[in-house]
Amino acid sequence: MFKRVLIANRGEIACRILRTLRAQGIASVALHHHEDRGAPHVQLADEALQLTCDTPTAAYLDQVQIVECARRTGADAIHPGYGFLSENADFAARVSAAGITFIGPDADSIRMMGDKIRARAFATQHGVPVAPSVAATEPGDIERCATAVGFPLLVKAAAGGGGKGMRIVRTGAELAESLRAASAEAQRYFGDGRVYAERYIEQPRHIEVQILGDGAGGVVHLYERECSLQRRYQKIVEESPAPNLPAPLRTAICAAAVRLASAARYRNAGTVEFILAPDGAFYFLEMNTRLQVEHPVTECILGVDLVAEQLRIAAGAGLPFTQAQLVPVGHAIECRICAEEPEHDFRPATGRIGVLQLPVATKVRVDGGIRLAQAITPAFDSLLAKLVVHAPTRGEAADSLARALDEMVLLGVPTNIDYLARVVRHPQFLAGRLHTGFLAQHARELAVAPDRPGERAAAVLSALLTDPEFNRAALAAPEPYATIGPWRN
């Protein structure tokens, strides 16, 4: 096993990785930009180094500087987390060339699966279904071939993800402008303006399968996750197992994921994502060659630590269990707590955390990377923390999660906490009738009536005045999370 691991990331996922490193007795190295110098992941690591870059984002993308930090600290492995450089093939190759272990797949696997066009071709070659698509990447060629596939079409970036470089096109008149806009956005975010188009499936479900591979063709799946609740093509609620999924369909989807990963001789943790049409047909979407944000729900139902398994495989060990030994128990649901304004089309929000109270129920897992008095800036992703509940049944999990959201208070920056509580209480959510258009379809029911002028400010002020010790307690709180007072957001 490794002696010292450098985490090339920040925030929630850095804290999550640190927890496993500490449990296994492995020394940790954190990185940070000057703006992040007081962040929880910096405080929790055994050692922390500052990256010298003009902007915070550039710091966590500086491959040369990150590898040099690993050398200076004697780290024998680098964990990229998710986002930033986690799916950058050049970074994986650079780390390996420096004699340091990259905790993830090799550069060739990242290159193949990171290019959606190549990945689709590979999936087709190995019998994994893909949605009908245009066999072209040049805008002019796509326009000429689009009629054969039929509208609506989904224009997508060949590289990258997160909904960037993506457009739904319902008529031929919209196609040229959509191709231009998607290509420009893809170039801006990924440095690669190639796009392609595939048949757009109306009201699909988004089902993904967690896999582990040993690099020699051995692969196990850790069952599926339902990830259909999304805004701007990004997930906010995930669960496992997927509700209302017939057993034969679950088996077929998981088998397809294993077949794809095995053919690629995939090593380490990865996720194969599928679109599930209302008629039961499923299509390969993409493969994420990293740990997913939503990995905790899989850990809960199977009792595994996916970061520990990543470390084990990267260190050269084989798979620690057979498929037959992986038996899911109960149901887990995760909510992403984000700094955003749902009432304004989920606009990212900023501010400083003035009150932070976490749910205290024993069955609630909180993964986060925030602390009291921390400034939330536009420099990074809006994800602040994740609430995860595991219970014997889906109904019990949803009920516990709703109560946990009620208990959680985060003041000082707008969040989606109350919105999520309404989502997990919605009758259609409770019935498991999910699809990627769920939030838009039920927008009216999920909206909240605006406060009367000054109502919220008065409520918060009243609560604060009931406890004269609040200010002193808030300023003195030493932990990344501080539970202070009974105030509701």
Side-chain angles (χ1 to χ4, degrees):
M1 191 52 75
F2 305 109
K3 295 181 180 179
R4 186 181 300 272
V5 173
L6 180 142
I7 303 168
N9 218 298
R10 65 174 300 281
E12 178 270 324
I13 185 57
C15 293
R16 163 68 189 92
I17 296 166
L18 281 163
R19 186 168 70 243
T20 292
L21 294 178
R22 180 169 293 179
Q24 297 205 350
I26 300 172
S28 58
V29 181
L31 301 176
H32 65 94
H33 182 267
H34 178 72
E35 279 196 22
D36 256 349
R37 62 192 181 281
H41 77 281
V42 176
Q43 299 172 349
L44 294 172
D46 296 312
E47 186 175 357
L49 277 71
Q50 181 171 315
L51 298 166
T52 55
C53 287
D54 292 337
T55 66
T57 300
Y60 295 100
L61 293 173
D62 192 328
Q63 300 184 30
V64 174
Q65 195 172 177
I66 290 171
V67 172
E68 181 56 31
C69 286
R71 282 185 174 138
R72 282 166 47 196
T73 57
D76 46 1
I78 292 178
H79 197 305
Y82 51 69
F84 293 125
L85 294 168
S86 62
E87 293 183 281
N88 187 300
D90 292 341
F91 180 61
R94 186 186 296 272
V95 170
S96 298
I100 301 168
T101 300
F102 180 79
I103 300 175
D106 59 42
D108 289 341
S109 292
I110 296 175
R111 284 195 182 94
M112 180 172 66
M113 292 303 174
D115 185 311
K116 293 183 176 63
I117 295 171
R118 290 183 62 192
R120 285 171 56 88
F122 187 81
T124 300
Q125 180 184 349
H126 294 282
V128 177
V130 300
S133 66
V134 175
T137 58
E138 293 297 323
D141 294 335
I142 293 176
E143 286 186 73
R144 284 191 291 273
C145 300
T147 305
V149 175
F151 292 93
L153 285 173
L154 185 60
V155 175
K156 302 172 71 173
K164 307 301 183 186
M166 189 178 294
R167 298 288 188 281
I168 298 172
V169 184
R170 298 194 176 277
T171 68
E174 304 170 15
L175 185 55
E177 173 56 23
S178 296
L179 289 169
R180 186 205 61 76
S183 179
E185 189 173 46
Q187 182 66 43
R188 185 165 66 253
Y189 280 95
F190 313 123
D192 184 343
R194 291 177 304 138
V195 295
Y196 68 99
E198 65 182 28
R199 174 77 56 76
Y200 177 66
I201 309 298
E202 299 281 3
Q203 294 195 338
R205 292 172 66 179
H206 186 136
I207 306 292
E208 64 184 28
V209 180
Q210 175 73 61
I211 61 94
L212 290 174
D214 61 10
V219 175
V220 294
H221 71 77
L222 288 83
Y223 293 89
E224 84 289 349
R225 296 186 287 253
E226 173 82 59
C227 302
S228 297
L229 295 196
Q230 306 174 7
R231 84 290 189 257
R232 299 195 308 271
Y233 303 108
Q234 294 180 317
K235 311 159 190 171
I236 59 170
V237 180
E238 303 101 343
E239 58 184 301
S240 187
N244 300 330
L245 189 65
L249 187 53
R250 172 178 287 111
T251 298
I253 291 173
C254 291
V258 169
R259 188 161 64 251
L260 182 76
S262 181
R265 300 179 73 83
Y266 190 87
R267 186 190 72 227
N268 216 270
T271 301
V272 185
E273 303 196 350
F274 297 93
I275 287 295
L276 175 59
D279 64 2
F282 66 91
Y283 306 102
F284 171 71
L285 179 63
E286 63 184 6
M287 184 173 188
N288 292 136
T289 56
R290 55 169 168 78
L291 197 66
Q292 294 279 86
V293 177
E294 57 271 22
H295 75 274
V297 295
T298 296
E299 294 184 321
C300 287
I301 66 165
L302 290 172
V304 301
D305 181 332
L306 283 171
V307 175
E309 300 310 329
Q310 284 190 290
L311 294 168
R312 183 200 307 272
I313 294 170
L319 297 175
F321 28 62
T322 65
Q323 190 65 64
Q325 292 174 312
L326 291 165
V327 181
V329 176
H331 199 98
I333 311 176
E334 169 185 294
C335 280
R336 301 190 190 191
I337 308 301
C338 298
E340 63 185 19
E341 301 177 64
E343 67 275 20
H344 296 296
D345 195 28
F346 303 96
R347 178 174 66 194
T350 60
R352 186 177 295 275
I353 300 174
V355 177
L356 183 59
Q357 174 178 290
L358 299 183
V360 296
T362 56
K363 292 183 179 180
V364 179
R365 167 176 165 177
V366 182
D367 282 14
I370 52 175
R371 61 175 174 79
L372 197 65
Q374 182 174 342
I376 306 303
T377 76
F380 302 112
D381 184 84
S382 63
L383 178 65
L384 301 177
K386 302 179 304 197
L387 292 190
V388 191
V389 169
H390 181 217
T393 68
R394 184 173 187 269
E396 291 173 276
D399 181 64
S400 295
L401 185 55
R403 286 187 280 110
L405 288 162
D406 287 345
E407 291 178 14
M408 185 169 184
V409 181
L410 196 160
L411 300 181
V413 57
T415 72
N416 62 346
I417 294 173
D418 292 341
Y419 178 81
L420 290 169
R422 294 194 293 275
V423 170
V424 299
R425 286 189 169 102
H426 194 281
Q428 295 301 305
F429 175 83
L430 295 174
R433 299 191 184 102
L434 310 177
H435 56 82
T436 58
F438 182 95
L439 300 182
Q441 182 182 41
H442 300 291
R444 181 170 296 182
E445 306 103 281
L446 295 173
V448 64
D451 293 334
R452 290 192 296 263
E455 184 179 69
R456 176 162 296 201
V460 172
L461 181 61
S462 174
L464 295 180
L465 290 174
T466 63
D467 187 352
E469 296 297 309
F470 166 73
N471 286 328
R472 184 167 62 191
L475 292 173
E479 298 297 324
Y481 290 106
T483 301
I484 301 174
W487 307 289
R488 285 287 302 118
N489 184 0

